[in-house]
Amino acid sequence: MSAPTSITVRVLLKIRRRPGRKTVVTPVATAAADTTIATRADPALVKALARAFRYQRLLDEGRYASISEMADGEKIERGYLGCLMRLTLLAPPIVEAILNGRQPEGMMLAELLKPFPVEWDRQRAEAATGRIQRASSVSEPPRSARAL
């Protein structure tokens, strides 16, 4: 019998901290034969956006008459559901950036669940600085604009 041989494999990677977990980010391959598409999309942000737009669609279709009724039906806390549905008010370029993994480094779900300006220009300006934050001069939008 021959002696067992060992092989050492080195892989370049980067550990990226996400809320509640760590994600391994591998470098993008430069070979033309590699057809995989690298993404940096934050799964928590993408999932939250998908849920928010699903819940908005359920309200629009009339499956639920109110957020309170939907919270009971979907077994979700009403306050969290309201915060989550606020994500449907994000500017389309910000939503697209999140889905494509091009959101600013500091943009986390916890920050997006806090109140933010409803004006898309202000959202884009704040997102360019790395995060959307609550502006003290922002008043609550009219009920119809909040979609709540």
Side-chain angles (χ1 to χ4, degrees):
M1 278 202 313
S2 63
T5 59
S6 64
I7 299 174
T8 302
V9 178
R10 296 182 190 267
V11 178
L12 294 175
L13 58 92
K14 179 177 165 183
I15 304 294
R16 175 181 243 174
R17 296 190 189 284
R18 300 274 186 197
R21 66 180 165 275
K22 295 177 184 172
T23 303
V24 176
V25 180
T26 58
V28 178
T30 56
D34 188 10
T35 58
T36 60
I37 299 172
T39 181
R40 294 179 24 199
D42 184 346
L45 285 175
V46 172
K47 190 174 183 179
L49 279 172
R51 285 181 173 170
F53 282 97
R54 176 182 173 266
Y55 295 143
Q56 183 63 51
R57 189 182 74 239
L58 292 175
L59 273 180
D60 293 343
E61 291 173 350
R63 290 192 54 191
Y64 295 104
S66 68
I67 289 182
S68 297
E69 183 181 317
M70 185 186 315
D72 290 339
E74 298 288 321
K75 296 178 178 39
I76 301 173
E77 182 194 333
R78 193 234 177 271
Y80 175 72
L81 181 59
C83 290
L84 194 63
M85 289 194 58
R86 193 179 307 118
L87 297 178
T88 62
L89 301 176
L90 282 172
I94 295 174
V95 172
E96 185 177 344
I98 291 169
L99 295 178
N100 291 331
R102 294 182 288 111
Q103 74 275 6
E105 187 70 31
M107 188 176 286
M108 303 285 191
L109 181 57
E111 288 296 317
L112 286 177
L113 291 179
K114 296 176 184 174
F116 53 80
V118 294
E119 299 88 8
W120 289 353
D121 291 334
R122 290 186 59 197
Q123 288 178 17
R124 285 192 295 264
E126 289 185 14
T129 64
R131 64 184 187 153
I132 293 180
Q133 57 193 3
R134 182 179 193 160
S136 59
S137 62
V138 176
S139 61
E140 284 293 314
R143 186 158 183 81
S144 62
R146 287 190 287 166
L148 300 178

